[in-house]
Every structure is written in C-alpha cells, then in structure tokens.
Amino acid sequence: MHRTSIAKLFSILCLAAASASRAYDIPATVSNDTSSALFTSSATSLDGPKIHPVNNSAFDWWYFDVVSADPTSVASVVIVFYTSTATAFPFIPPSDSVTRAQISVSFPNGTIFSAFATADGATVTADDNASSGNWHGSGFQWSSNTGTSRYTIFVDSPEIGVQGTIKFHSVAPAHYPCGPMGAGQNMEVGPRIGWANAVPDAATTVDLVVKGTKLAFTGVGYHDKNWSDQIFTSNVASWYWGHGRLGPYSIVWFDFLALNGTEYLSAYAAKDGKIIAASCESNSIRVRPIGQNATYPPVLSTGPPSGYHITLDLQNAGTLEVDVSVMEKIADSTPEYTRSVGNMSGVVVPVGAYKVESDPTVLGGKALFEQFKLTE
Ligand SMILES: *[C@@H]1O[C@H](CO)[C@@H](O)[C@H](O)[C@H]1NC(C)=O
Ligand SMILES: *[C@@H]1O[C@H](CO)[C@@H](O)[C@H](O)[C@H]1NC(C)=O
Ligand SMILES: *[C@@H]1O[C@H](CO)[C@@H](O)[C@H](O)[C@H]1NC(C)=O
Ligand SMILES: *[C@@H]1O[C@H](CO)[C@@H](O)[C@H](O)[C@H]1NC(C)=O
Ligand SMILES: *[C@@H]1O[C@H](CO)[C@@H](O)[C@H](O)[C@H]1NC(C)=O
Ligand SMILES: *[C@@H]1O[C@H](CO)[C@@H](O)[C@H](O)[C@H]1NC(C)=O
Ligand SMILES: *[C@@H]1O[C@H](CO)[C@@H](O)[C@H](O)[C@H]1NC(C)=O
Ligand SMILES: *[C@@H]1O[C@H](CO)[C@@H](O)[C@H](O)[C@H]1NC(C)=O
C-alpha cells in the first residue's frame, strides 16, 4: 500500500476509535521502560489511563469516596484503584503487584478499617466521559453508564473480609483543573501532577459488610483520578484538597504548594447540575488552615489543623466564604498525611459587597478532605 493511504487509513481508524470505548490491559508487574504521561486533554477518555507503561516512577489511580450526609455521622468510605509502585507513591506499602485496590472505611462511631487487596493485573475501559475497571483477582471492580451518570463499585473480597456495593449518581458535571471537560485542556493541577475529576459530586448509597459488620448509609460521593510519570514526592511540598456539598452547591477545592514555593489552585462549584466556577486562576480560590495548628505553609513538624477557611470565587454569583471543621480523622494520621470528614458552614457574599451581610443565609453540609505536607 502507498504511504499516504496507510496514513489515511490510520487516521480513519483513530477517528473510529475516538468515539468508541476502548479497553486497556495493565499488567501487575512493573515495567522497566520509560513511561509517558498525558497532560493535555482530548475530547475523549477523561477517565481513562493517563500513563503508559507503569514504571517505577509513574503512578495512575482511580479514587472514589463518600461521606455520610447525616450531619452527626462520621461514616465514610474511600476506595482507590492503584496502578503504582511504592517507589512512585511512597504512601502505599511495597508489593510485587502495581495493581492493588485499597478500601478505607470509618464507621459512624469513628472506628477505622483499612486494607489492600492485590490484583494480578487490571483492565480499564474508557469511553468519552466515564470508565469501568476490573482489578483481576482482587474482588474489586467498578462500572459506569455514562448515559445515566452512574458509577457502581462492586466488592467481593473474602481475603480482606469486605463485600457489597457503592452506587454513585453524579449530580455535577466533570471538569479538569482549569475548566470544564473538553479537548486541549491542561490537566496538570500542579507541576507534573495530572488530575481529572469525572464525578465532583454524587448522590451515593453505600451497602457494605466489613468484617461481618454492616455499613450502610447515603451520602455525598466523589470520583477523580491522579497521575504522573514522576515520583510523587519530587513535585509536591504540600496540598489541601477536599470536596463537599454546601446547601445547593457542589464544591471541590485544591490549593497546592510546589517545592519552589509556587502556589497552584483549582476551584470548582456547581449548582443545579451546572458548573458555576471551574478555574485555576490565581484569584479563583484560597484555602487556609484555621483553629488549632493553623500554620501556613504547613510543615512536617506541625500538627493537623482543626479546620480550614475557603474563599471560592463564584464569578458573577459572588464569593463563597466557607468554614470547614474536622469532625473525625479517617486515616491513620502521619506527619505527611491527614484525611478527615467534617462539617461546613458558608455564606455567599454578593458581587460588590464589602463584607457578609448582617443576616445572611447560612448554608451547611458535609465534606471529605485531606492534606499532604512533605517538607520541613
Ligand atoms: C526489570 O528489571 C529487573 C532487574 O533487572 C528484572 O528483574 C525484571 O524481570 C525486569 N522486568 C521486566 C518486566 O522486564
Ligand atoms: C520512568 O519513566 C520516566 C518518564 O519517562 C523516566 O524519567 C524514568 O527514568 C523512568 N523510570 C524508571 C525507573 O525506568
Ligand atoms: C464502633 O463500631 C464498630 C462497628 O460497628 C464496632 O466494631 C466497634 O466495637 C465500635 N467501637 C466502639 C468503641 O463502640
Ligand atoms: C460527555 O459529556 C458531554 C458534556 O457534558 C456530553 O455532551 C456528552 O454527551 C457526554 N458523553 C457521554 C458519552 O455521555
Ligand atoms: C489525588 O489523589 C487523592 C487520593 O490520594 C485524592 O484524594 C485527590 O482527590 C486527588 N486530588 C488531586 C487534586 O490530585
Ligand atoms: C517555580 O517553578 C515554576 C515552574 O517551573 C516556575 O514557573 C516558577 O517561576 C518557579 N518559582 C520560583 C519562585 O522559583
Ligand atoms: C494539633 O497538633 C498536635 C500536635 O501534633 C496534636 O496533638 C493535636 O491533635 C492537633 N490538633 C488537631 C485539632 O488535630
Ligand atoms: C460543626 O458542628 C459542630 C457541632 O455541631 C459545631 O460546633 C461547628 O460549629 C460546626 N462547624 C461548622 C464549620 O459548621
């Protein structure tokens, strides 16, 4: 065949593949090859794999969580489907397999359970906006149906003693660090840290049995993915991340310090299923610790704060001023990492107002959030 017709055929095949779903097999063994990472979005595969292959300095994972909507409950579940070694992401224990799933739960009384299940390889299938994944042999998988914005996680792992399902019904559109989904977006939330948020907020139902104890609740769910072709700790000094539902608003915050002191931001707010703010501009959001241990920037030797204050620019709709209080830490706290559930209260300050009105409508809600701090 002539050279140009091969090129033509190839581009036709690519076009055909672009609108269909595509399956990716990810081996359990670490690759010795150079890894390449995608940091600019295309029109498709928002939730698909972003690095290839998984070598010792590359990581890619699919993260899901849910916090109880009950104002008094600290129940939560976090499930992460990893394709990473402990060298690339040093906060997971070493293993022969790069394909592992982790579940961490907090019961309503604050008791924590966490375990890893090992897979002998994984398959991720991605279409335009959504994905499905099977961590073979681990008992962990998820599936999605983009048409109805639903994701379901299925767990059946006698090995770690967890069975059941988590059902997410998305109520807020997907986004990248700097804007709504679409081709040509920068997917770096900080230097060489990729981020795609397929489900910023979801009405979520948990129905699990954990070591013989039922854990069932409804709450505020979330799903995103992170990736890089470089070791995590070589690009991050600290970050504050979290999501929650505050009155009618679905919000996601991200405030990141790079090792050279540069601050990177990402702000997201949606209301009634529509995006109001999705930006990484320097005035889009500010997240700062408040209360006890409110040291900024946070360093290894300072304890975790009792809360955060968030200022989130809603563009024409004003500014959200939000206080987030830690109710319970839901991961074993280390100097480097804290994950918590909490309550939020906030008000919308209209455009042009100098301060909060004397009698504003106070919005409330629940949140799940984390901080990393990796330097002194
Ligand atoms: C990668 O290199 C190590 C050390 O040389 C070797 O043991 C391993 O089999 C290699 N892995 C693959 C997938 O080739
Ligand atoms: C993995 O790939 C990255 C990015 O191409 C490269 O810089 C790095 O040296 C590779 N790491 C290993 C352990 O092969
Ligand atoms: C908390 O709840 C868990 C799960 O129901 C139970 O196993 C544990 O004993 C409870 N702990 C306390 C201190 O009540
Ligand atoms: C993906 O999202 C876009 C924008 O919200 C929407 O127009 C499109 O129909 C979605 N695609 C699928 C397959 O659901
Ligand atoms: C990165 O991954 C963590 C899971 O460790 C997740 O909580 C967070 O949403 C992700 N966020 C960003 C912005 O990378
Ligand atoms: C930090 O690194 C970024 C990216 O390379 C660069 O744009 C910025 O100017 C640097 N900041 C300082 C304070 O060196
Ligand atoms: C503040 O830090 C101290 C020391 O690490 C710790 O004991 C305390 O629990 C922290 N406060 C909060 C609210 O986490
Ligand atoms: C969270 O709830 C506690 C207990 O009801 C309350 O004291 C605190 O002010 C609340 N925090 C926020 C930010 O709403």
Side-chain angles (χ1 to χ4, degrees), residues 323-325 343-345:
D323 278 335
V324 185
S325 294
N343 54 352
M344 298 186 289
S345 68

Side-chain angles (χ1 to χ4, degrees), residues 292-293 303-306 329:
Q292 284 176 46
N293 306 325
S306 46
K329 298 188 181 79

